[in-house]
């Protein structure tokens, strides 16, 4: 597995974060109300802190109105809320040029990626151009680009799709092979920041060097925004698309951040209807909460929990751990999993394993995880951790898994 800029260090113990984590865990009502349950499915959706719930209640009981369609106080407040939330997203992503960029709110990552593919990408491409698609990532970051290729083919425009190269041993992108693949007709690259099955940070900061200064890079940040620091200045990408519900906001909320520096200006097509104003209010509150908590500390906590889990699993012969096999030991010097550990039992079906774990109080995901056609074809169990999870939960999970043989 490729070592990233800060990977070549033994993971830092998180004992110093114990009090911090305990205080944050107490802010999640659904977690504290069910101490007998362990929610280990945060890659699917994250739980909501009290501050977000309070912001939703306050908005609905003091301000609720449509945005951009009224002149009375509540409508004006809502319009201001939406515009300020756009700037809040830019600030959260460390946007170096917020006066030029744009933020468009969507229902989530899937709709956001489709908006880029449907409303923007055709204007970038000409006959003979190439796009790079990550065919072993989430289906939401594959299907829209192939739909655009088919749409343009019907118009007589031939676009070549190049599969993103991967490292066989780790599941990471192969940035050296990508540099060899990219050429003067490579106009667009789709990528994921954190892989939703293998849990690896895909070292997106290396893509720009591999593909050159002119190619547009669109980043699926569904598993990174809200889980670790995301800086568009450092990553040098052109689009960041994410879901609010994975970042502690309400479901049905997401955003597309567009740099507006390469290619045509990003303007979503069609008539702009009523925005999800309460969802946007929840997103702004969630970003405030995450900033106060510290994305760097959240990352440290979840990475260490994942390392504790893989350290235990590697001693259990009954289990196969998906992804990089060189990063299982807790003291591994290579890149750690970003709070996501996916596994299979060698004798128990993954669906059955999911039911067994639930009977012991663990909520995990057990299926194929919407991975693309070049990904895993067999189901697996995904354990995904967040700041409200504890060392004790990981140890108890390991105990149950060990008891299954």
């Amino acid at each position: 597995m490729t070592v990233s800029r800060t990977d070549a260090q033994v993971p830092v113990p998180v004992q110093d974060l114990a009090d911090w984590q305990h205080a944050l865990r107490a802010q999640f009502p659904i977690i504290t109300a069910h101490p007998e349950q362990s929610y280990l499915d945060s890659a699917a959706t994250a739980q909501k802190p009290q501050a977000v719930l309070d912001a939703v209640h306050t908005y609905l009981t003091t301000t609720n109105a449509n945005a951009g369609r009224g002149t009375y106080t509540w409508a004006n407040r809502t319009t201001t809320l939406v515009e300020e939330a756009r700037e809040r997203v830019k600030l959260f992503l460390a946007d170096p040029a917020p006066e030029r960029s744009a933020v468009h709110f969507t229902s989530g990552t899937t709709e956001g990626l489709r908006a880029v593919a449907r409303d923007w990408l055709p204007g970038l491409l000409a006959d003979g151009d190439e796009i790079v698609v990550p065919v072993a990532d989430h289906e939401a970051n594959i299907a829209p680009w192939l739909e655009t290729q088919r749409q343009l083919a019907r118009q007589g425009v031939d676009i070549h799709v190049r599969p993103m190269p991967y490292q066989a041993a780790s599941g990471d992108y192969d940035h050296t092979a990508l540099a060899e693949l990219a050429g003067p007709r490579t106009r667009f690259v789709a990528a994921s920041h954190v892989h939703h099955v293998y849990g690896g940070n895909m070292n997106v900061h290396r893509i720009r060097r591999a593909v050159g200064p002119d190619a547009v890079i669109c980043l699926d940040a569904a598993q990174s925004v809200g889980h670790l620091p995301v800086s568009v200045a450092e990553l040098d990408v052109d689009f960041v698309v994410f879901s609010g519900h994975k970042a502690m906001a309400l479901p049905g909320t997401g955003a597309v951040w567009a740099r507006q520096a390469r290619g045509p200006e990003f303007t979503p097509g069609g008539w702009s209807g009523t925005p999800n104003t309460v969802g946007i209010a929840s997103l702004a509150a969630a970003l405030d909460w995450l900033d106060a908590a510290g994305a760097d500390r959240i990352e440290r906590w979840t990475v260490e929990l994942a390392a504790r889990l893989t350290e235990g699993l590697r001693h259990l012969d009954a289990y196969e751990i998906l992804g990089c096999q060189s990063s299982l030991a807790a003291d591994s010097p290579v890149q750690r999993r970003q709070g996501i550990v996916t596994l299979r039992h060698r004798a128990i079906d993954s669906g059955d394993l999911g039911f067994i774990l639930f009977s012991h109080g663990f909520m995990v995901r057990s299926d194929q995880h919407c991975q693309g056609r070049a990904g895993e074809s067999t189901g697996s169990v995904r354990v995904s951790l967040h700041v409200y999870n504890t060392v004790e939960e990981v140890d108890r999970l390991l105990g149950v898994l060990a008891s299954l043989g």
Side-chain angles (χ1 to χ4, degrees), residues 1-11 324 326-336:
M1 194 175 194
T2 304
V3 179
S4 72
R5 291 168 295 179
T6 58
D7 296 331
Q9 300 175 1
V10 174
C324 179
S326 300
S327 63
L328 302 182
D331 60 353
S332 171
V334 299
Q335 181 169 287
R336 309 302 317 172

Side-chain angles (χ1 to χ4, degrees), residues 212-372:
D214 299 323
V216 172
I217 302 172
C218 179
L219 186 63
D220 174 352
Q223 300 298 343
S224 58
V225 170
H227 300 261
L228 66 153
V230 179
S231 168
V232 295
E234 293 181 7
L235 297 175
D236 197 8
V237 296
D238 300 278
F239 291 96
V240 170
V241 187
F242 67 94
S243 296
H245 73 98
K246 296 179 190 287
M248 300 185 177
L250 293 185
T253 310
V256 176
W257 171 87
R259 185 181 293 276
Q260 309 287 50
R262 299 177 180 93
E265 180 177 328
F266 174 67
T267 305
W271 176 256
S272 179
T274 298
N276 179 3
T277 53
V278 67
I280 294 169
S282 77
L283 179 58
L287 299 184
D288 285 344
W289 189 92
L290 289 163
D291 264 346
D296 56 338
R297 288 177 290 180
I298 292 173
E299 181 185 24
R300 280 186 59 206
W301 185 262
T302 56
V303 166
E304 284 297 302
L305 289 186
R308 191 178 188 92
L309 181 55
T310 58
E311 170 67 33
L313 283 169
R314 76 188 184 101
H315 299 292
L316 302 178
D317 293 338
Y319 295 92
E320 171 194 3
I321 308 171
L322 277 59
C324 179
Q325 299 302 296
S326 300
S327 63
L328 302 182
D331 60 353
S332 171
V334 299
Q335 181 169 287
R336 309 302 317 172
R337 285 163 173 78
Q338 296 287 328
I340 296 174
V341 179
T342 305
L343 58 106
R344 295 192 188 100
H345 193 285
R346 301 188 192 280
I348 302 174
D349 175 79
S350 294
D352 293 338
L353 181 57
F355 281 116
I356 293 169
L357 290 176
F358 181 64
S359 72
H360 289 274
F362 298 104
M363 290 174 273
V364 298
R365 179 164 172 175
S366 53
D367 57 22
Q368 291 176 270
H369 316 296
C370 303
Q371 196 169 4

Side-chain angles (χ1 to χ4, degrees), residues 124-131 157-162 184-187:
L124 176 75
L125 300 174
D127 191 67
D129 282 344
E130 300 175 351
I131 63 174
V157 179
D158 186 19
I159 301 302
H160 303 290
V161 173
R162 306 300 187 201
R185 299 304 298 271
T186 303
R187 303 299 307 281

Side-chain angles (χ1 to χ4, degrees), residues 309 312-313 316 319 357 360 362 392-405:
L309 181 55
L313 283 169
L316 302 178
Y319 295 92
L357 290 176
H360 289 274
F362 298 104
E392 292 74 21
E393 287 178 315
V394 170
D395 289 347
R396 189 165 67 87
L397 173 64
L398 283 168
V400 171
L401 291 171
S403 73
L404 299 177

Side-chain angles (χ1 to χ4, degrees), residues 22-80:
H22 182 75
L24 293 188
R25 177 181 167 89
Q27 296 178 38
F28 291 83
I30 196 170
I31 298 295
T32 58
H34 300 280
E36 76 287 356
Q37 302 285 339
S38 293
Y39 183 75
L40 304 175
D41 196 21
S42 292
T45 196
Q47 298 302 335
K48 321 307 177 194
Q50 187 64 52
V52 171
L53 303 178
D54 289 344
V56 168
H57 182 267
T58 298
Y59 172 75
L60 289 176
T61 57
T62 65
T63 306
N64 182 40
N66 212 329
R69 290 167 171 81
T71 57
Y72 53 93
T73 303
W74 294 356
N76 290 338
R77 282 188 204 152
T78 300
T79 300
T80 299

